[in-house]
Amino acid sequence: MIKKKLLYQPIQRACIIPLVFIGLMNYSQPVQAQLTNSIQNTVKNSPFQSFKQPKLPRNGAPTGRRRAGAGRSPDCPSNLTQLTALVPGDGEKSVLASTVTENPTFWFYVPQLAQTTRYGEFVLQVLDGKDAQNVYRTPLTLVGKAGIISITLPAQPQYFLKADKKYHWYFHIYCGDPEKTSDNFYVDGFVQRQVLTEALDSQLKSAKPKEYIVYNANNIWYDTLTNLGQQRHINPQNATIDKDWVDLLNAVGLQDIAQEPIVQHYNLEK
């Protein structure tokens, strides 16, 4: 009898363990479903009104220029001072912001340009201590119409952002043919790629097509702006999308260009 009891106990425990494991699995599935449904319901049914300035880096972090300064030549059109980078910042300064994309998109407001000032250039550098090395550099022929443009880095591995590096970018508009003059107006800033975690990826999939809500909640500026900008370009008559775009730019102090149209996208190939 004692032997039978001893044999029975391990068998009983062996039966209980799978049942407990199955129970936990059955419990976790409804919880995950509830979280997914919560995100979907928030995106679908609720007006989004909580855009915020991304956390500004501590003192000592690199800063750039998000509003163009005056050119050196009196022949440069004065309206080029309106050139603006759509990035977070403190006053006229741009600050380091994040992306989870290997080839992110950068956004700028460009004023109306005369035929002689439609020469642009985008430069990306990787920082190594106090040194900087060019990763990518390309000339651009700009449209003359005033409005917002976007520039996407090539989807080629040699230009992909590495997660352990900081990058410095510049956007120039030259006061004439660059082969004849070096005078230009420019804005510049900094970007760093974060690793896309499984948790964030799950949230983004649940939020489609309004991933910008999740990006903003996670302090990821470049992808917030790009996803929302793409939605605005696809749905120009959507009042909710338009309001979210305006609210996002207002949150970072760029309310003066929040109503400007998106006029051009540059998807760089090489």
Side-chain angles (χ1 to χ4, degrees), residues 181-224:
T181 179
S182 61
D183 201 19
N184 67 89
F185 287 66
Y186 77 92
V187 287
D188 68 310
F190 296 84
V191 59
Q192 185 170 26
R193 184 172 73 84
Q194 298 180 12
V195 175
L196 178 63
T197 64
E198 290 185 10
L200 178 57
D201 188 46
S202 178
Q203 292 177 38
L204 291 170
K205 289 176 180 177
S206 299
K208 284 187 175 181
K210 295 184 178 181
E211 293 99 319
Y212 63 86
I213 295 176
V214 174
Y215 283 130
N216 182 255
N218 286 275
N219 205 45
I220 302 171
W221 170 261
Y222 285 94
D223 304 328
T224 300

Side-chain angles (χ1 to χ4, degrees), residues 72-94:
R72 296 185 297 273
S73 170
D75 297 328
C76 286
S78 60
N79 71 332
L80 288 181
T81 58
Q82 299 170 25
L83 172 63
T84 304
L86 275 61
V87 291
D90 184 7
E92 301 298 300
K93 295 180 180 179
S94 65

Side-chain angles (χ1 to χ4, degrees), residues 2-270:
I2 293 174
K3 289 183 178 180
K4 287 184 179 180
K5 286 184 178 180
L6 291 173
L7 288 171
Y8 176 73
Q9 287 175 354
I11 294 172
Q12 188 178 44
R13 285 200 273 296
C15 293
I16 291 172
I17 291 171
L19 289 174
V20 170
F21 180 72
I22 292 169
L24 288 172
M25 288 182 63
N26 290 337
Y27 173 76
S28 64
Q29 290 173 354
V31 170
Q32 181 63 38
Q34 289 173 7
L35 291 172
T36 300
N37 291 337
S38 175
I39 294 171
Q40 290 174 337
N41 291 336
T42 299
V43 172
K44 183 177 180 181
N45 301 322
S46 302
F48 189 65
Q49 300 176 344
S50 58
F51 286 117
K52 61 184 184 299
Q53 166 88 286
K55 294 178 182 177
L56 298 180
R58 296 179 179 178
N59 292 337
T63 60
R65 173 185 289 180
R66 68 172 180 171
R67 305 273 190 176
R72 296 185 297 273
S73 170
D75 297 328
C76 286
S78 60
N79 71 332
L80 288 181
T81 58
Q82 299 170 25
L83 172 63
T84 304
L86 275 61
V87 291
D90 184 7
E92 301 298 300
K93 295 180 180 179
S94 65
V95 297
L96 177 69
S98 297
T99 180
V100 295
T101 306
E102 291 177 319
N103 60 318
T105 299
F106 304 85
W107 296 75
F108 307 95
Y109 169 74
V110 176
Q112 184 171 344
L113 300 175
Q115 188 68 43
T116 56
T117 58
R118 297 183 187 178
Y119 300 94
E121 183 182 46
F122 183 81
V123 181
L124 180 71
Q125 298 178 333
V126 62
L127 301 181
D128 185 10
K130 295 182 179 180
D131 298 325
Q133 297 179 349
N134 280 358
V135 175
Y136 185 75
R137 184 171 190 164
T138 186
L140 296 167
T141 300
L142 304 172
V143 296
K145 184 180 180 181
I148 292 169
I149 69 168
S150 59
I151 300 172
T152 301
L153 288 176
Q156 298 176 19
Q158 64 266 38
Y159 306 124
F160 286 169
L161 272 59
K162 295 179 173 61
D164 60 340
K165 299 290 185 179
K166 291 184 177 68
Y167 293 82
H168 191 181
W169 54 258
Y170 295 84
F171 178 58
H172 303 260
I173 297 180
Y174 286 90
C175 304
D177 187 341
E179 294 185 0
K180 299 177 181 179
T181 179
S182 61
D183 201 19
N184 67 89
F185 287 66
Y186 77 92
V187 287
D188 68 310
F190 296 84
V191 59
Q192 185 170 26
R193 184 172 73 84
Q194 298 180 12
V195 175
L196 178 63
T197 64
E198 290 185 10
L200 178 57
D201 188 46
S202 178
Q203 292 177 38
L204 291 170
K205 289 176 180 177
S206 299
K208 284 187 175 181
K210 295 184 178 181
E211 293 99 319
Y212 63 86
I213 295 176
V214 174
Y215 283 130
N216 182 255
N218 286 275
N219 205 45
I220 302 171
W221 170 261
Y222 285 94
D223 304 328
T224 300
L225 185 67
T226 296
N227 178 249
L228 182 50
Q230 290 171 343
Q231 294 298 317
R232 185 180 184 232
H233 183 67
I234 295 170
N235 305 289
Q237 305 303 320
N238 187 307
T240 300
I241 294 294
D242 191 63
K243 182 181 183 303
D244 284 350
W245 174 266
V246 171
D247 288 348
L248 177 63
L249 294 189
N250 285 350
V252 294
L254 297 176
Q255 56 271 12
D256 57 317
I257 58 173
Q259 300 287 352
E260 294 293 336
I262 297 173
V263 297
Q264 185 72 27
H265 173 65
Y266 298 87
N267 194 7
L268 306 179
E269 295 299 329
K270 59 182 181 177

